[in-house]
């Protein structure tokens, strides 16, 4: 309540390098200016006792000044993590993010994404190889890696397999599950 909320999510852009069934942000090409992001962080810090900022988007790694954003948050003494689909992550940029002060990457990979690194429809279980590959890259960069999955009616029965994978994967610290409801189907 009030200033006791220790966390804020800041969207740094509305552009993305993949397409998710539940998301509209790949349809925009907006990158928030660095100065505007700093104003949002300062405002949030003035209203809350912040201990953590999570950067989101679109895909935050597409922001050309992401390292500056991370540095700015850390200069305020606030922890920082990022939600990412992992598609553009590599040793170089992860090292830069780590050196700037990023502590954790929430890696969002699920079966209803259209990705350039996955061909054809895959079940959640079939995506575990990609999750393993990218989570290992994140952890080898000195960052904490957590997994994110969006559940849909058609993938709900696959949740136990994802949970089992996360429990068995030493590189993944936690699992964040979001749920998507097809409102068009409800309204019709």
């Amino acid at each position: 309540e009030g200033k006791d909320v220790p966390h804020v999510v800041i969207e740094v852009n509305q552009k993305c390098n993949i397409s998710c069934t539940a998301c509209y942000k790949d349809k925009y090409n907006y990158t928030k200016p660095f100065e505007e992001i700093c104003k949002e962080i300062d405002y949030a810090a003035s209203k809350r006792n912040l201990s953590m900022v999570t950067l989101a988007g679109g895909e935050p790694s597409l922001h050309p000044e992401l390292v500056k954003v991370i540095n700015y948050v850390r200069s305020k003494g606030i922890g920082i993590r990022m939600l990412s689909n992992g598609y553009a992550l590599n040793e170089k940029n992860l090292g830069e993010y780590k050196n700037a002060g990023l502590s954790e990457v929430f890696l969002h990979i699920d079966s209803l994404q259209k990705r350039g690194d996955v061909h054809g429809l895959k079940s959640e279980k079939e995506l575990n190889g990609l999750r393993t590959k990218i989570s290992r890259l994140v952890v080898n960069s000195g960052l904490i890696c957590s997994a994110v999955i969006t559940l849909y009616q058609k993938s709900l029965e696959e949740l136990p397999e994802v949970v089992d994978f996360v429990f068995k994967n030493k590189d993944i610290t936690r699992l964040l599950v979001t749920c998507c409801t097809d409102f068009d189907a409800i309204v019709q």
Side-chain angles (χ1 to χ4, degrees):
E1 186 175 311
K3 287 187 77 77
D4 294 328
V5 179
H7 178 252
V8 67
V9 176
I10 302 286
E11 291 187 347
V12 298
N13 60 17
Q14 293 285 306
K15 59 170 56 175
C16 196
N17 49 3
I18 70 168
S19 179
C20 298
T21 299
C23 188
Y24 55 88
K25 295 179 184 179
D26 64 321
K27 295 164 183 58
Y28 300 97
N29 195 26
Y30 175 71
T31 298
K32 194 179 291 181
F34 174 73
E35 296 75 22
E36 186 176 337
I37 296 168
C38 292
K39 286 179 186 176
E40 290 179 6
I41 292 164
D42 291 343
Y43 179 77
S46 76
K47 298 294 181 186
R48 297 179 177 180
N49 296 321
L50 285 183
S51 62
M52 186 63 67
V53 169
T54 299
L55 300 179
E59 171 55 38
S61 67
L62 298 179
H63 195 287
E65 296 181 289
L66 185 61
V67 171
K68 274 178 66 175
V69 171
I70 295 168
N71 272 317
Y72 186 77
V73 173
R74 287 302 300 142
S75 75
K76 301 282 184 184
I78 301 168
I80 186 158
R81 55 190 176 198
M82 172 175 76
L83 293 165
S84 176
N85 60 45
Y87 187 70
L89 298 181
N90 57 54
E91 270 184 53
K92 182 181 183 296
N93 63 15
L94 285 168
E96 291 171 352
Y97 304 155
K98 166 74 172 154
N99 290 337
L102 187 71
S103 62
E104 182 173 6
V105 173
F106 280 84
L107 185 60
H108 180 203
I109 298 173
D110 68 57
S111 61
L112 288 176
Q113 294 174 328
K114 292 178 187 157
R115 307 174 58 98
D117 52 358
V118 174
H119 304 289
L121 292 176
K122 301 287 184 193
S123 68
E124 294 302 334
K125 186 175 184 175
E126 290 172 306
L127 290 170
N128 288 341
L130 181 61
R131 289 183 184 109
T132 297
K133 176 184 170 186
I134 300 175
S135 65
R136 188 156 298 138
L137 178 66
V138 169
V139 169
N140 287 344
S141 298
L143 297 164
I144 297 167
C145 186
S146 295
V148 179
I149 181 174
T150 301
L151 278 183
Y152 303 86
Q153 285 297 110
K154 56 179 108 177
S155 63
L156 186 60
E157 68 278 352
E158 295 184 79
L159 179 60
E161 290 177 1
V162 175
V163 171
D164 187 53
F165 167 77
V166 169
F167 279 135
K168 291 178 180 174
N169 188 312
K170 65 179 177 53
D171 292 330
I172 298 177
T173 302
R174 66 185 121 237
L175 174 64
L176 172 64
V177 179
T178 61
C179 297
C180 177
T181 301
D182 183 0
F183 289 105
D184 289 338
I186 294 171
V187 173
Q188 294 177 6

